[in-house]
Amino acid sequence: MEIFPLLFWLLLLGAAGCVVLLQFRPNWVWQTAVFLLGLTLLVWLILRTQLPFGATFVSWSDSGFLPDWTWHIDRISWGLSLWLLLISTAVSLRSLLQQTTPTQKSAAPAAILLLTAAAFSAIWSDNFTGLLAGLTLLLASWLVTLWLAGERSNGFLFKGSALLVGLL
């Protein structure tokens, strides 16, 4: 198995871990997010020497209905992913350093990890099926993020739901 799908799963599992940490150890949420993003960034910089590479994320061709969901990373998608990781790490690190109350419960670290992983699936897609699936995953992640944000975003939640139904 290729290493970059593992980075995708690392970020998704990190988002789930941050949600669990919110309940038990809210002080560790930002540290966990910064650590996972830093680890992903370090591995991502090491992978630069192996460009280009690709992998099949989901094999649908057995059913004969849809082509495989494949990812391909070349210099352009590697650069876009690098910028996304740098921005996500910078936002998480700034939030960690600017924290006023350490017991403050925030779902923002989980949202950052979730949206970063979902954006990766759209950036790395190799065909139209993968792009459509990646954008659907990104939109669904955005809706989950808005739902975690609370009541104040009901208008965006409705518009996002309509877009998701339109994509499907």
Side-chain angles (χ1 to χ4, degrees), residues 30-41:
W30 282 109
Q31 289 91 339
T32 304
V34 169
F35 172 75
L36 286 172
L37 284 167
L39 178 67
T40 306
L41 184 60

Side-chain angles (χ1 to χ4, degrees), residues 14-98:
C18 285
V19 170
V20 170
L21 281 175
L22 270 176
Q23 300 301 318
F24 301 109
R25 302 275 185 195
N27 300 0
W28 294 0
V29 174
W30 282 109
Q31 289 91 339
T32 304
V34 169
F35 172 75
L36 286 172
L37 284 167
L39 178 67
T40 306
L41 184 60
L42 180 67
V43 172
W44 195 245
L45 290 172
I46 292 170
L47 288 177
R48 170 79 164 95
T49 60
Q50 299 175 6
L51 288 177
F53 46 88
T56 301
F57 184 61
V58 176
S59 180
W60 287 323
S61 61
D62 296 339
S63 67
F65 182 67
L66 291 172
D68 291 340
W69 181 358
T70 57
W71 285 343
H72 178 77
I73 298 180
D74 54 4
R75 293 190 186 278
I76 293 173
S77 58
W78 184 87
L80 283 172
S81 302
L82 177 67
W83 278 108
L84 180 63
L85 273 174
L86 287 172
I87 290 170
S88 299
T89 306
V91 166
S92 297
L93 191 59
R94 181 182 181 279
S95 298
L96 172 67
L97 296 176
Q98 297 292 325

Side-chain angles (χ1 to χ4, degrees), residues 123-146:
I123 291 171
W124 295 344
S125 62
D126 191 29
N127 53 19
F128 181 72
T129 304
L131 181 63
L132 188 62
L135 289 176
T136 303
L137 181 62
L138 183 60
L139 185 58
S141 302
W142 182 252
L143 290 174
V144 167
T145 302
L146 289 177

